Amino acid sequence: GSTINYGSFGTKAEIDCGQGKSLNVGGSNNKLTVTGTCASISVGGADNTIAVNRVDGELSVVGLNNRVTYQTGDPTINDTGSGNQISKR
């Protein structure tokens, strides 16, 4: 699959992982809705709110004060940042 790199600041956007793309999120203060099935997700940056439909592989959060929720999937969660919230909704 391919990788989607998102590095904006202060935006609201919808991102489609399609059938197994990977997603890298940088930047800060973004509100993102992620559709489709992500192979893996990596979140850097700060103060991002990310609502994910499905992630199957690794969900890695290395930034600060990010809030990530996912609906389905059974990802391996790595939270090496600070003040992050990761939950299944």
Side-chain angles (χ1 to χ4, degrees):
S2 58
T3 299
I4 301 165
N5 290 301
Y6 192 88
S8 298
F9 293 85
T11 64
K12 187 173 182 179
E14 186 169 300
I15 299 169
D16 184 6
C17 272
Q19 297 298 317
K21 292 179 183 170
S22 293
L23 174 62
N24 288 329
V25 178
S28 58
N29 294 307
N30 297 297
K31 280 191 182 308
L32 306 178
T33 301
V34 183
T35 58
T37 300
C38 299
S40 65
I41 298 176
S42 177
V43 181
D47 302 307
N48 295 297
T49 301
I50 305 172
V52 178
N53 176 50
R54 178 172 170 173
V55 53
D56 285 336
E58 188 176 48
L59 175 53
S60 180
V61 184
V62 297
L64 306 175
N65 301 323
N66 295 290
R67 186 164 178 261
V68 183
T69 58
Y70 63 97
Q71 198 164 337
T72 59
D74 186 20
T76 301
I77 296 173
N78 285 324
D79 179 3
T80 54
S82 175
N84 298 303
Q85 296 175 41
I86 304 164
S87 60
K88 188 165 186 171
R89 66 173 191 283

